[in-house]
Amino acid sequence: MRQLLIVITGILCVVAMLATGVTAAQAAVPDRWGFAVVDVTSGIPNPGHQAGSWPGGFNVTVSPGGVGQTFVRFPQIATTKGVVHVTAISQTAYWCQVQKWGPAGADLVVAVQCYRYGGAPVSTPYSIVFEESTGLLPAPEALGYVYYDGTSIVNQFNSAGAGNAVAGGGGSWTVTLPGLGSAGFAGNLQVTAVDSVQPARCKVANWVPSGGAQTVQVRCHNATSAPLNTGWTLTYQRERAITGAAIPPKNFAYTFDNTPANPGPYGPVPPAVNYNSQGGLNTVQSSGVGQRMVLFPIVGVLPDHVQVTAYGPGPEFCNLQTLWATSGGTAYVRNVVCYNAGTRLDYPSLVTYTSAF
């Protein structure tokens, strides 16, 4: 009789998980994440800007490849899943892209390549974040991601338990994240090109929220400004950190600089795109043409991380002008810089910040 009760209990647990969209595999696999600022071509990068779900006593390490290429090793989080985002840190029109990632023993290794506008390889610092998520989230929190290799979805996640969809090609795709919808604009998006063969950069071209889904248009371009069929990663976050961890940090924020002609400082609206986990008001202001300083108050705690993505239908792109600073509880991002070809211009951008704590 006792054995029968154990079997029945086990069956009921499985049924309950299936009813809520949580599979046994989802429940058993822990979330993995890690971030770093890669400011060296070999060795251990900036310790104040690296953290992850690995045990204590380990560090992110970097090794060199060809010109502008580095291999980032995240310790003890080997997987073939998840998504990666990178943002160049440069005074000029550089960008960085992911070439590939995968397990190397117990570690996860990501190959990153950086370019200047026009397609010449170049070495530059950059910020990098990896996330692999499982399980469901209670509304209004939401997280979804897609790794699309140019022809099909390779990896994906949806915190509502639904399947994401991608349609299109030739440099323009429509991504649907069902179950993560909102009545108006809410949350943040990040997009990164994935290509091991050629220069590629990708962005959010359009974003349409609805009650049932978030619908996002991704566009990618080649070394100059021509549409390009390539791979990419996309992450949508709402009231959740970009790391997507099972236990989120207490300190994170994001914003959408959707009126870049506004000299500021101003708090972007609607408030749901200008979220701060500690209730602070994120502000954006001009530091010159194409240069936007972003302040995330109260949440600035080391080690921390920033990612940036351009928004709009054209070939423009954005990066970080310098490494952000963290002081007195505020994270100072000075500056987000956007370019059309090699020329700075005022342009919309999506910015996300997280601390490890």
Side-chain angles (χ1 to χ4, degrees):
M1 182 67 178
R2 181 174 180 272
Q3 290 179 327
L4 179 60
L5 288 174
I6 292 172
V7 170
I8 292 172
T9 301
I11 292 172
L12 289 175
C13 288
V14 171
V15 170
M17 286 191 296
L18 292 174
T20 58
V22 180
T23 67
Q26 282 179 314
V29 178
D31 291 353
R32 300 174 176 91
W33 63 274
F35 61 67
V37 167
V38 176
D39 54 359
V40 297
T41 57
S42 181
I44 298 174
N46 194 320
H49 297 289
Q50 62 165 276
S53 56
W54 47 82
F58 291 91
N59 291 294
V60 177
T61 56
V62 180
S63 57
V67 177
Q69 182 187 48
T70 43
F71 298 92
V72 184
R73 183 178 287 264
F74 291 109
Q76 304 294 302
I77 59 169
T79 180
T80 59
K81 304 296 184 181
V83 292
V84 182
H85 294 291
V86 294
T87 296
I89 303 173
S90 172
Q91 299 281 331
T92 190
Y94 294 173
W95 78 87
C96 297
Q97 65 194 61
V98 175
Q99 292 185 306
K100 58 184 177 180
W101 69 91
D107 302 336
L108 175 73
V109 175
V110 185
V112 177
Q113 177 70 57
C114 301
Y115 295 96
R116 68 172 71 244
Y117 182 80
V122 66
S123 293
T124 187
Y126 59 86
S127 61
I128 179 170
V129 62
F130 166 80
E131 54 167 311
E132 179 188 357
S133 295
T134 60
L136 307 182
L137 292 176
E141 295 179 21
L143 186 78
Y145 61 68
V146 172
Y147 166 33
Y148 189 81
D149 67 2
T151 59
S152 61
I153 294 176
V154 179
N155 296 328
Q156 66 166 307
F157 170 73
N158 183 303
S159 65
N164 306 317
V166 177
S172 180
W173 300 265
T174 299
V175 185
T176 304
L177 305 170
L180 305 185
S182 55
F185 284 98
N188 192 264
L189 293 156
Q190 295 295 313
V191 173
T192 296
V194 180
D195 199 309
S196 61
V197 177
Q198 60 193 325
R201 60 179 193 273
C202 301
K203 62 186 297 191
V204 178
N206 194 29
W207 176 15
V208 180
S210 66
Q214 301 290 338
T215 303
V216 185
Q217 186 179 45
V218 173
R219 286 189 179 173
C220 299
H221 297 86
N222 67 3
T224 54
S225 299
L228 178 68
N229 195 75
T230 187
W232 43 264
T233 57
L234 174 145
T235 297
Y236 171 74
Q237 60 178 130
R238 186 171 73 235
E239 298 187 24
R240 204 73 177 182
I242 188 68
T243 48
I247 302 176
K250 294 180 180 179
N251 299 289
F252 64 94
Y254 49 77
T255 195
F256 182 10
D257 183 11
N258 47 25
T259 54
N262 186 339
Y266 85 106
V269 293
V273 302
N274 194 41
Y275 182 82
N276 183 299
S277 65
Q278 296 294 338
L281 177 63
N282 312 320
T283 58
V284 184
Q285 66 188 81
S286 176
S287 294
V289 176
Q291 302 172 81
R292 305 288 283 174
M293 183 168 68
V294 184
L295 272 61
F296 295 112
I298 309 176
V299 296
V301 179
L302 293 173
D304 57 0
H305 190 76
V306 175
Q307 287 289 321
V308 176
T309 290
Y311 181 90
E316 297 86 356
F317 62 100
C318 304
N319 63 22
L320 290 165
Q321 189 173 34
T322 59
L323 180 65
W324 61 94
T326 305
S327 176
T330 296
Y332 297 84
V333 181
R334 183 169 186 159
N335 297 299
V336 174
V337 185
C338 298
Y339 297 92
N340 183 1
T343 303
R344 291 177 184 168
L345 80 165
D346 294 325
Y347 197 72
S349 63
L350 296 140
V351 189
T352 188
Y353 171 88
T354 189
S355 167
F357 300 108

